[in-house]
Amino acid sequence: MSFVTRRALSTLIPPKVASPKAIGGAPDAVAMKRVVSFYEKLPRGPAPEHKAQGFWGKYQAKHFGKNPTAKPIVHAIVGLLIVGYAQNYYFHLRHHKNNAH
């Protein structure tokens, strides 16, 4: 087996909780005690609801969250219209302000 294959397979196998040499006595009992104490410390129940922060976070939570809407598409179209008109005015329409073409 090549080094790359061995390395890839070793990441799938979890590391040992405790080695029998370091524990002394009954290695299974101490190892199980460590595993149980680890899992006792983990939080129980569902994860707490994430609170949106900032403008983009609140916008995303409002329009893409539990109740998604089509408003972002409308907002994008309106934004493109505003940017397009501003460019049109700057590059062309401002020259027609006081006299006809």
Side-chain angles (χ1 to χ4, degrees), residues 63-86:
H63 297 295
F64 297 104
K66 294 179 183 176
N67 222 0
T69 63
K71 284 186 180 178
I73 296 170
V74 175
H75 294 160
I77 292 170
V78 169
L80 288 173
L81 286 173
I82 290 171
V83 169
Y85 182 79

mmCIF file of all heavy atoms in Angstrom, residues 63-86:
data_model
loop_
_atom_site.group_PDB
_atom_site.id
_atom_site.type_symbol
_atom_site.label_atom_id
_atom_site.label_comp_id
_atom_site.label_asym_id
_atom_site.label_seq_id
_atom_site.Cartn_x
_atom_site.Cartn_y
_atom_site.Cartn_z
ATOM 1 N N HIS A 63 -35.316 37.351 3.721
ATOM 2 C CA HIS A 63 -35.773 36.952 2.395
ATOM 3 C C HIS A 63 -35.368 35.540 1.973
ATOM 4 O O HIS A 63 -35.954 34.981 1.052
ATOM 5 C CB HIS A 63 -35.261 37.950 1.355
ATOM 6 C CG HIS A 63 -35.794 39.339 1.557
ATOM 7 N ND1 HIS A 63 -37.126 39.652 1.432
ATOM 8 C CD2 HIS A 63 -35.180 40.487 1.903
ATOM 9 C CE1 HIS A 63 -37.304 40.935 1.678
ATOM 10 N NE2 HIS A 63 -36.129 41.471 1.972
ATOM 11 N N PHE A 64 -34.357 34.953 2.603
ATOM 12 C CA PHE A 64 -33.915 33.612 2.222
ATOM 13 C C PHE A 64 -34.071 32.606 3.351
ATOM 14 O O PHE A 64 -33.700 31.457 3.205
ATOM 15 C CB PHE A 64 -32.441 33.631 1.801
ATOM 16 C CG PHE A 64 -32.165 34.469 0.599
ATOM 17 C CD1 PHE A 64 -31.576 35.712 0.736
ATOM 18 C CD2 PHE A 64 -32.493 34.037 -0.664
ATOM 19 C CE1 PHE A 64 -31.314 36.501 -0.358
ATOM 20 C CE2 PHE A 64 -32.238 34.822 -1.774
ATOM 21 C CZ PHE A 64 -31.646 36.055 -1.610
ATOM 22 N N GLY A 65 -34.571 33.028 4.501
ATOM 23 C CA GLY A 65 -34.655 32.180 5.691
ATOM 24 C C GLY A 65 -35.755 31.136 5.606
ATOM 25 O O GLY A 65 -35.900 30.418 4.620
ATOM 26 N N LYS A 66 -36.571 31.073 6.660
ATOM 27 C CA LYS A 66 -37.618 30.052 6.751
ATOM 28 C C LYS A 66 -38.718 30.270 5.718
ATOM 29 O O LYS A 66 -39.332 29.322 5.247
ATOM 30 C CB LYS A 66 -38.232 30.072 8.150
ATOM 31 C CG LYS A 66 -37.288 29.662 9.238
ATOM 32 C CD LYS A 66 -37.949 29.721 10.589
ATOM 33 C CE LYS A 66 -36.977 29.369 11.696
ATOM 34 N NZ LYS A 66 -37.556 29.501 13.017
ATOM 35 N N ASN A 67 -38.992 31.525 5.391
ATOM 36 C CA ASN A 67 -40.062 31.865 4.456
ATOM 37 C C ASN A 67 -39.472 32.618 3.266
ATOM 38 O O ASN A 67 -39.570 33.835 3.190
ATOM 39 C CB ASN A 67 -41.095 32.739 5.179
ATOM 40 C CG ASN A 67 -42.502 32.354 4.831
ATOM 41 O OD1 ASN A 67 -42.707 31.439 4.052
ATOM 42 N ND2 ASN A 67 -43.456 33.054 5.404
ATOM 43 N N PRO A 68 -38.847 31.949 2.292
ATOM 44 C CA PRO A 68 -38.189 32.659 1.192
ATOM 45 C C PRO A 68 -39.200 33.391 0.304
ATOM 46 O O PRO A 68 -40.326 32.939 0.101
ATOM 47 C CB PRO A 68 -37.471 31.559 0.422
ATOM 48 C CG PRO A 68 -38.052 30.286 0.869
ATOM 49 C CD PRO A 68 -38.701 30.509 2.187
ATOM 50 N N THR A 69 -38.781 34.550 -0.202
ATOM 51 C CA THR A 69 -39.638 35.360 -1.060
ATOM 52 C C THR A 69 -38.915 35.664 -2.362
ATOM 53 O O THR A 69 -37.730 35.383 -2.519
ATOM 54 C CB THR A 69 -39.997 36.694 -0.377
ATOM 55 O OG1 THR A 69 -38.802 37.440 -0.176
ATOM 56 C CG2 THR A 69 -40.679 36.471 0.965
ATOM 57 N N ALA A 70 -39.652 36.272 -3.305
ATOM 58 C CA ALA A 70 -39.076 36.655 -4.600
ATOM 59 C C ALA A 70 -38.622 38.107 -4.593
ATOM 60 O O ALA A 70 -38.215 38.625 -5.632
ATOM 61 C CB ALA A 70 -40.104 36.427 -5.700
ATOM 62 N N LYS A 71 -38.689 38.785 -3.458
ATOM 63 C CA LYS A 71 -38.300 40.189 -3.392
ATOM 64 C C LYS A 71 -36.847 40.451 -3.798
ATOM 65 O O LYS A 71 -36.571 41.492 -4.379
ATOM 66 C CB LYS A 71 -38.564 40.749 -2.000
ATOM 67 C CG LYS A 71 -40.016 41.028 -1.743
ATOM 68 C CD LYS A 71 -40.197 41.709 -0.401
ATOM 69 C CE LYS A 71 -41.655 41.980 -0.136
ATOM 70 N NZ LYS A 71 -41.861 42.603 1.176
ATOM 71 N N PRO A 72 -35.887 39.579 -3.511
ATOM 72 C CA PRO A 72 -34.520 39.865 -3.950
ATOM 73 C C PRO A 72 -34.393 40.000 -5.464
ATOM 74 O O PRO A 72 -33.574 40.784 -5.953
ATOM 75 C CB PRO A 72 -33.716 38.675 -3.443
ATOM 76 C CG PRO A 72 -34.468 38.208 -2.256
ATOM 77 C CD PRO A 72 -35.913 38.432 -2.598
ATOM 78 N N ILE A 73 -35.211 39.271 -6.211
ATOM 79 C CA ILE A 73 -35.186 39.401 -7.674
ATOM 80 C C ILE A 73 -35.680 40.784 -8.073
ATOM 81 O O ILE A 73 -35.080 41.450 -8.929
ATOM 82 C CB ILE A 73 -36.037 38.290 -8.328
ATOM 83 C CG1 ILE A 73 -35.428 36.924 -8.017
ATOM 84 C CG2 ILE A 73 -36.157 38.497 -9.826
ATOM 85 C CD1 ILE A 73 -36.291 35.758 -8.403
ATOM 86 N N VAL A 74 -36.761 41.234 -7.442
ATOM 87 C CA VAL A 74 -37.292 42.576 -7.711
ATOM 88 C C VAL A 74 -36.268 43.629 -7.304
ATOM 89 O O VAL A 74 -36.044 44.603 -8.028
ATOM 90 C CB VAL A 74 -38.631 42.788 -6.978
ATOM 91 C CG1 VAL A 74 -39.125 44.202 -7.135
ATOM 92 C CG2 VAL A 74 -39.668 41.787 -7.466
ATOM 93 N N HIS A 75 -35.620 43.445 -6.160
ATOM 94 C CA HIS A 75 -34.603 44.387 -5.709
ATOM 95 C C HIS A 75 -33.438 44.450 -6.694
ATOM 96 O O HIS A 75 -32.904 45.535 -6.957
ATOM 97 C CB HIS A 75 -34.092 43.996 -4.327
ATOM 98 C CG HIS A 75 -35.132 44.116 -3.256
ATOM 99 N ND1 HIS A 75 -35.025 43.462 -2.064
ATOM 100 C CD2 HIS A 75 -36.298 44.796 -3.203
ATOM 101 C CE1 HIS A 75 -36.076 43.737 -1.324
ATOM 102 N NE2 HIS A 75 -36.873 44.547 -1.998
ATOM 103 N N ALA A 76 -33.031 43.313 -7.231
ATOM 104 C CA ALA A 76 -31.939 43.286 -8.208
ATOM 105 C C ALA A 76 -32.331 44.022 -9.483
ATOM 106 O O ALA A 76 -31.535 44.788 -10.045
ATOM 107 C CB ALA A 76 -31.543 41.844 -8.520
ATOM 108 N N ILE A 77 -33.564 43.818 -9.960
ATOM 109 C CA ILE A 77 -34.021 44.496 -11.179
ATOM 110 C C ILE A 77 -34.073 46.003 -10.966
ATOM 111 O O ILE A 77 -33.609 46.778 -11.804
ATOM 112 C CB ILE A 77 -35.391 43.937 -11.626
ATOM 113 C CG1 ILE A 77 -35.230 42.492 -12.109
ATOM 114 C CG2 ILE A 77 -36.021 44.801 -12.703
ATOM 115 C CD1 ILE A 77 -36.526 41.770 -12.349
ATOM 116 N N VAL A 78 -34.627 46.434 -9.833
ATOM 117 C CA VAL A 78 -34.701 47.867 -9.537
ATOM 118 C C VAL A 78 -33.298 48.455 -9.411
ATOM 119 O O VAL A 78 -33.025 49.556 -9.919
ATOM 120 C CB VAL A 78 -35.532 48.118 -8.253
ATOM 121 C CG1 VAL A 78 -35.407 49.550 -7.783
ATOM 122 C CG2 VAL A 78 -36.992 47.763 -8.503
ATOM 123 N N GLY A 79 -32.393 47.734 -8.771
ATOM 124 C CA GLY A 79 -31.012 48.204 -8.648
ATOM 125 C C GLY A 79 -30.337 48.361 -9.998
ATOM 126 O O GLY A 79 -29.639 49.349 -10.247
ATOM 127 N N LEU A 80 -30.555 47.389 -10.897
ATOM 128 C CA LEU A 80 -29.979 47.489 -12.238
ATOM 129 C C LEU A 80 -30.577 48.661 -13.018
ATOM 130 O O LEU A 80 -29.868 49.338 -13.772
ATOM 131 C CB LEU A 80 -30.187 46.182 -13.004
ATOM 132 C CG LEU A 80 -29.334 45.012 -12.538
ATOM 133 C CD1 LEU A 80 -29.750 43.739 -13.264
ATOM 134 C CD2 LEU A 80 -27.871 45.303 -12.778
ATOM 135 N N LEU A 81 -31.884 48.907 -12.846
ATOM 136 C CA LEU A 81 -32.508 50.054 -13.515
ATOM 137 C C LEU A 81 -31.917 51.373 -13.021
ATOM 138 O O LEU A 81 -31.650 52.283 -13.815
ATOM 139 C CB LEU A 81 -34.021 50.037 -13.298
ATOM 140 C CG LEU A 81 -34.806 48.994 -14.083
ATOM 141 C CD1 LEU A 81 -36.263 48.985 -13.640
ATOM 142 C CD2 LEU A 81 -34.704 49.254 -15.565
ATOM 143 N N ILE A 82 -31.707 51.483 -11.720
ATOM 144 C CA ILE A 82 -31.144 52.717 -11.158
ATOM 145 C C ILE A 82 -29.716 52.930 -11.650
ATOM 146 O O ILE A 82 -29.346 54.029 -12.077
ATOM 147 C CB ILE A 82 -31.211 52.675 -9.619
ATOM 148 C CG1 ILE A 82 -32.666 52.790 -9.167
ATOM 149 C CG2 ILE A 82 -30.364 53.783 -8.998
ATOM 150 C CD1 ILE A 82 -32.878 52.550 -7.695
ATOM 151 N N VAL A 83 -28.903 51.871 -11.627
ATOM 152 C CA VAL A 83 -27.521 51.988 -12.101
ATOM 153 C C VAL A 83 -27.501 52.292 -13.595
ATOM 154 O O VAL A 83 -26.719 53.134 -14.065
ATOM 155 C CB VAL A 83 -26.729 50.699 -11.779
ATOM 156 C CG1 VAL A 83 -25.394 50.677 -12.489
ATOM 157 C CG2 VAL A 83 -26.539 50.567 -10.282
ATOM 158 N N GLY A 84 -28.382 51.648 -14.366
ATOM 159 C CA GLY A 84 -28.441 51.903 -15.810
ATOM 160 C C GLY A 84 -28.841 53.330 -16.121
ATOM 161 O O GLY A 84 -28.262 53.971 -17.010
ATOM 162 N N TYR A 85 -29.827 53.866 -15.411
ATOM 163 C CA TYR A 85 -30.242 55.248 -15.645
ATOM 164 C C TYR A 85 -29.132 56.219 -15.247
ATOM 165 O O TYR A 85 -28.879 57.198 -15.949
ATOM 166 C CB TYR A 85 -31.518 55.596 -14.876
ATOM 167 C CG TYR A 85 -31.964 57.002 -15.154
ATOM 168 C CD1 TYR A 85 -32.636 57.305 -16.331
ATOM 169 C CD2 TYR A 85 -31.668 58.035 -14.270
ATOM 170 C CE1 TYR A 85 -33.025 58.605 -16.615
ATOM 171 C CE2 TYR A 85 -32.045 59.331 -14.542
ATOM 172 C CZ TYR A 85 -32.727 59.615 -15.720
ATOM 173 O OH TYR A 85 -33.092 60.902 -15.999
ATOM 174 N N ALA A 86 -28.449 55.942 -14.140
ATOM 175 C CA ALA A 86 -27.356 56.817 -13.712
ATOM 176 C C ALA A 86 -26.242 56.837 -14.753
ATOM 177 O O ALA A 86 -25.697 57.897 -15.075
ATOM 178 C CB ALA A 86 -26.819 56.360 -12.360
#
